[in-house]
Amino acid sequence: MEIRKVSALRGPNIWASFPVLEALVDLGELKDAASNELAGFNDRLMGWLPSMIEHRCSVGERGGFFERLRRGTYLAHILEHVSLELQCLAGCSVGFGRARETATEGVYKVVVRYREEDVGRSALETGRRLCLAAVHDQPFDVTGEVKQLRDLLHEAQLGPSTRSVVDASTDRDIPHRRLNSGSLVQLGWGARQRRIWTAETDRTSAIAESIAQDKELTRRLLAAIGVPVPEGRPVTDAEDAWQAAQALGGPVVVKPQCGNQGRGVTTNLATREQVVKAYEAARAEERTVLVERYAPGDDYRLLVIGDRLVAAARREAAQVVGDGVHTVAQLIEIANDDPRRGDDHATSLSKMRLDPIALTVLAEQGLSPEAVPPAGARVLIRRNANLSTGGTATDVTERVHPRVAAVAVEAARMVGLDIAGIDVVACDIGRPLDEQGGVVVEVNAGPGLRMHLEPSSGKGQPVGEAIVDMMFPSGETGRIPVVAITGTNGKTTTTRAIAHILQADGRHVGMTCTEGIYIDRRRIETGDCSGPQSARTVLLNPKVEAAVFEIARGGVLREGLGFDRCDVAVVTNIGEGDHLGLGGIETPEQMAEVKSTVVAAVREGGWAVLKADDPLTAAMTSQCRGSAIFFATDGEHPVMRQHRDAGGRVAFVQGKNLVLAEGNHVVCEIPVASIPITRQGRVRFMTENALAAAAATWGLGLSPDRIRGGLQTFSSDPDMVPGRFNVLSLGGATVILDYGHNVSALEALIEAIGTFPHERRSVVYSAAGDRRDRDMVRQGQILGDAFDTVRLYEDQYTRGRADGEIMRLIRAGLDAGSRVKAIEDFHGATRSVEAALDALRPGDLLLVQADVIEVTLDFVREYLAAHPALTGEAIEADAMDDEPLCAPRPAMSMERAAAFSGSGPKAA
């Protein structure tokens, strides 16, 4: 049994709305082995993992999976359950899994939910080894393997402080994203995002942190506003420290001037020897050392968030209690066995350590690590009460006197911290400090939250919730509007149209599509950016106020979506032949299932914009948690009529107008002729794209005037939609450049060019090498029936095909064509385009299938520059989309303005 590949689907995917791992598992020689046919297998597996009795499986009741084992089930299914159980035993509570056979016999997709990706991947591999050990009756150390997974979890997961904030944000429906392997987390998206790093926010002042770091400066500032603080001063050496202690006239505290987590702090010192040793310990941490008067009482940590006290804990120094049997060192080992104690901040308590400071504290008590304390004797390991040095905490939030809480808030405000840990020494936290000689000894930036979340005794406090509430006032979710567009054809044009309308509405828009990532109109990344990583890049940008994502099926299959939810999902259509035969997707129905992932991600109250006259698309409404807006050029289509009669939203063409209606109420009418991309309504698929864009922006709440204005200034020139029905006039001939590269797109293009006046038709065409043979042949048949001259080419997208194979397959279809008279083959896209342009005559119509859009467009521009005579004529205004209602395009270079048709005046 071999795991060939593991893919992390980090967003909503074809399996679930949450992250899963998808493993491609080859059972090899075990492909026909059932669990009840493998001698001793079930007994070994159930003995090693008895807790799997809780797995209900398809039986639907406790012990269901064990029942499946006894009946006989295959190893891929078993691996699914074992991997889930191993994650649970490691501390990741997960329960979703699937196992499905692929088209290859014995090869399965095993899908398991994960909480930490590294732990999930390791659990799959550990589960594979466990299953094989059970098959071959080999030993397997389950306890040791689970410990390794648990250790990996502690290394990989967020610490308790950050995790509490992230969990609280999830409860508030605020999206989050971990930005590094540490504790830096983004909450929210785009312009509404905030960031945290443990208990610090993006508005925690660096100046305030510096002040808090300097204990002497903090002491002086607090004293200036009347906050009680201990007397003290910085000292230069050990002798000066002793002199300061004598001047203070009592027990003292020696600590670094700058430090944290209690490192180098020693308290309640009375003798010269104690002070000198404490000075050396503090000096090892920091160059400047402070000596302060020791305040008797308990050590309290008060947590201030914003302008209020939200939690308080009494801290006790690290200590053990003798039993008359074990040594101090052994008692520490026993205490450290508590699963709550860890080596870092990933657990609620920290381990106690026998470091030099601990040895000094023991010596002061007349003890050593080898000493055996009598039963009941309390042995201090440290004098300071920090959790990071092994201390414990008791929640006292409800006992804090209001005047003490007010002092804590004043201290945090004076330092300038939005989140602060205020250290107080007092005999009774339930009394005002000035009545008992209590003092504030420190103000801490980035305070640990562990003692408040999981105190050693008392109830935990909702400090994560308090931090989130401070960062995001009630009603705010940190989300920006997100529109996701998918389908077979029309995705890019619709995506660009929606982004354009939103920009016209005054918003900063982040957009991803097959040509790159755009922030407003500035491209920040080139290439095909229609996958989840590009979407996450946009959501990371603090300028972005709305996001518009083109979603390709490849990204969904490889990694899921790049967001957890969207406001509007658009499915343009499910066409014939595109990308079928790839990634296990063999039929249009399976492709529709992949594309519907976007619809399933629509939030409650959101909208799915669906093509009514495409049955596979229209059926997706059942997967939408929001509502549907159906669109079609025919407003009387049965799906449209039924939806409208029920009061639903629809977008359609009626007469000469694009209409948005809710039930029988017409919300908006836009003359189709005023929408440049439709070319006066003659290009049906562009009209459908306009309908989808109008419906999507309507779903976002834009006004009819904004939608109308946006569509009327969106043209199909290469600036706005490169390679999407760009029309040129060259010496009395018409040239159309389009990216269409599948059967459905080709049929739509041929329908569209039929509305343009011409005497002869020619085409430059190719296909990507990863398309099915029969789809290439079918495209050849369509070309042969529609064009007089066909120029085929092969370039960089052969994708494993032999040289000439793509052209051969298309030619096989062309041979049956009823119209084609001439066929030419070329190696290289630009060579074929050059030949076609050279052959142009007045009255010709040339369709150029631009497989690599920018390369083709750049070549055409260069060709026009070299042949200025071709740009001397323009298509008549009434044959193109020049409408006085349309705003003129942005300025172009002279040769492009003369050649590319669109809205605005024609070039001479």
Side-chain angles (χ1 to χ4, degrees), residues 50-364:
S51 50
M52 283 199 300
I53 195 171
E54 301 299 334
H55 293 211
R56 303 169 70 88
C57 200
S58 58
V59 177
E61 59 186 37
R62 185 173 184 268
F65 176 61
F66 282 1
E67 177 62 26
R68 289 292 306 276
L69 286 173
R70 296 185 187 99
R71 293 181 195 169
T73 188
Y74 48 96
L75 279 168
H77 179 215
I78 296 168
L79 176 61
E80 168 207 331
H81 281 268
V82 169
S83 300
L84 290 171
E85 186 60 23
L86 288 171
Q87 288 190 76
C88 291
L89 293 173
C92 294
S93 180
V94 291
F96 174 87
R98 294 288 185 271
R100 299 290 184 267
E101 190 168 13
T102 68
T104 304
E105 184 181 7
V107 178
Y108 289 77
K109 287 185 176 179
V110 175
V111 178
V112 294
R113 188 174 188 174
Y114 69 89
R115 198 181 82 193
E116 292 293 337
E117 184 177 326
D118 289 347
V119 177
R121 288 177 180 273
S122 186
L124 275 166
E125 174 55 28
T126 303
R128 183 190 73 88
R129 291 188 288 107
L130 186 150
C131 288
L132 288 176
V135 168
H136 299 296
D137 192 13
Q138 297 172 342
F140 194 85
D141 181 8
V142 175
T143 302
E145 295 286 350
V146 169
K147 183 181 184 304
Q148 289 185 33
L149 289 172
R150 189 176 293 121
D151 291 343
L152 178 59
L153 173 62
H154 287 163
E155 293 175 9
Q157 70 180 351
L158 292 168
S161 295
T162 310
R163 194 162 64 243
S164 71
V165 179
V166 169
D167 289 345
S169 72
T170 300
D171 291 341
R172 282 275 306 272
D173 194 33
I174 298 168
H176 71 272
R177 177 184 174 188
R178 191 172 180 176
L179 298 179
N180 64 1
S181 59
S183 299
L184 179 61
V185 178
Q186 172 183 325
L187 303 178
W189 290 334
R192 295 180 184 171
Q193 69 178 282
R194 298 291 306 276
R195 293 177 184 173
I196 61 165
W197 195 315
T198 58
E200 296 172 293
T201 78
D202 48 11
R203 295 179 189 171
T204 299
S205 163
I207 293 176
E209 286 186 329
S210 297
I211 293 172
Q213 190 80 358
D214 188 331
K215 295 174 172 46
E216 172 61 12
L217 177 58
T218 300
R219 190 180 67 81
R220 288 191 281 108
L221 290 175
L222 296 186
I225 60 170
V227 172
V229 293
E231 295 179 69
R233 67 174 176 86
V235 296
T236 57
D237 53 32
E239 183 59 33
D240 191 26
W242 174 237
Q243 290 178 5
Q246 288 180 303
L248 290 170
V252 295
V253 175
V254 177
K255 60 186 179 182
Q257 179 167 326
C258 297
N260 53 43
Q261 298 180 355
R263 290 192 293 266
V265 178
T266 314
T267 65
N268 196 13
L269 309 173
T271 69
R272 179 188 180 92
E273 181 182 6
Q274 289 175 330
V275 171
V276 170
K277 285 185 177 180
Y279 174 86
E280 297 299 335
R283 184 66 177 77
E285 297 290 336
E286 163 68 26
R287 181 173 58 186
T288 305
V289 176
L290 299 180
V291 176
E292 294 178 347
R293 184 188 302 279
Y294 172 73
D298 292 326
D299 185 301
Y300 293 95
R301 166 60 65 85
L302 278 59
L303 181 66
V304 174
I305 298 175
D307 59 357
R308 66 190 183 97
L309 176 77
V310 299
R314 185 180 70 248
R315 302 186 295 182
E316 293 189 26
Q319 57 188 277
V320 294
V321 178
D323 60 5
V325 177
H326 295 91
T327 66
V328 172
Q330 290 170 335
L331 291 171
I332 290 174
E333 288 183 9
I334 294 171
N336 284 341
D337 285 338
D338 185 337
R340 294 177 299 170
R341 292 190 182 271
D343 292 314
D344 49 32
H345 293 273
T347 52
S348 58
L349 296 173
S350 296
K351 289 185 177 181
M352 291 182 274
R353 291 179 174 81
L354 279 170
D355 57 14
I357 293 179
L359 295 175
T360 299
V361 173
L362 287 176
E364 291 168 355

Side-chain angles (χ1 to χ4, degrees), residues 418-659:
D418 55 348
I419 302 174
I422 312 298
D423 289 345
V424 173
V425 175
C427 294
D428 183 0
I429 201 67
R431 293 171 54 204
L433 297 182
D434 55 4
E435 292 182 4
Q436 56 180 316
V439 293
V440 173
V441 295
E442 285 188 18
V443 175
N444 298 276
L449 306 181
R450 293 185 297 167
M451 71 185 78
H452 308 298
L453 295 165
E454 299 180 50
S456 308
S457 61
K459 68 176 183 178
Q461 299 296 325
V463 295
E465 289 86 340
I467 291 174
V468 171
D469 290 346
M470 175 190 69
M471 299 174 74
F472 297 92
S474 178
E476 292 188 12
T477 64
R479 295 178 181 270
I480 60 174
V482 171
V483 184
I485 303 94
T486 192
T488 300
N489 297 309
K491 299 187 296 295
T492 302
T493 301
T494 304
T495 297
R496 286 180 174 273
I498 293 169
H500 175 79
I501 296 169
L502 289 171
Q503 287 167 8
D505 191 44
R507 309 190 198 193
H508 292 297
V509 179
M511 178 186 74
T512 66
C513 64
T514 51
E515 278 94 46
I517 301 175
Y518 295 79
I519 304 300
D520 292 333
R521 298 194 184 279
R522 183 171 70 91
R523 183 160 65 174
I524 65 171
E525 186 68 51
T526 60
D528 188 345
C529 294
S530 56
Q533 295 184 31
S534 300
R536 286 193 287 268
T537 296
V538 166
L539 296 175
L540 182 67
N541 193 307
K543 181 180 180 180
V544 173
E545 297 170 328
V548 185
F549 300 136
E550 179 178 346
I551 307 296
R553 54 98 224 167
V556 176
L557 292 173
R558 286 192 308 271
E559 200 178 335
L561 300 177
F563 47 87
D564 65 335
R565 219 166 49 243
C566 59
D567 298 274
V568 177
V570 179
V571 185
T572 57
N573 47 63
I574 302 296
E576 179 185 346
D578 198 32
H579 295 289
L580 296 181
L582 301 174
I585 306 302
E586 304 294 335
T587 66
E589 289 74 17
Q590 291 175 324
M591 182 63 75
E593 185 178 352
V594 174
K595 303 285 188 179
S596 69
T597 301
V598 175
V599 175
V602 172
R603 66 171 175 84
E604 292 184 10
W607 299 90
V609 177
L610 305 172
K611 194 168 189 289
D613 53 4
D614 182 336
L616 290 176
T617 301
M620 293 179 190
T621 184
S622 62
Q623 299 187 45
C624 182
R625 288 177 293 180
S627 303
I629 304 177
F630 284 111
F631 73 94
T633 53
D634 179 9
E636 295 302 315
H637 186 278
V639 172
M640 298 282 285
R641 189 71 264 169
Q642 181 180 6
H643 192 61
R644 190 176 182 186
D645 289 345
R649 291 187 176 190
V650 291
F652 57 95
V653 175
Q654 185 174 58
K656 296 183 178 181
N657 292 328
L658 183 156
V659 178

Side-chain angles (χ1 to χ4, degrees), residues 800-816:
R801 294 274 188 181
D803 188 37
E805 185 178 0
I806 294 173
M807 292 187 289
R808 179 182 60 78
L809 288 168
I810 297 176
R811 269 182 173 271
L814 283 167
D815 289 342

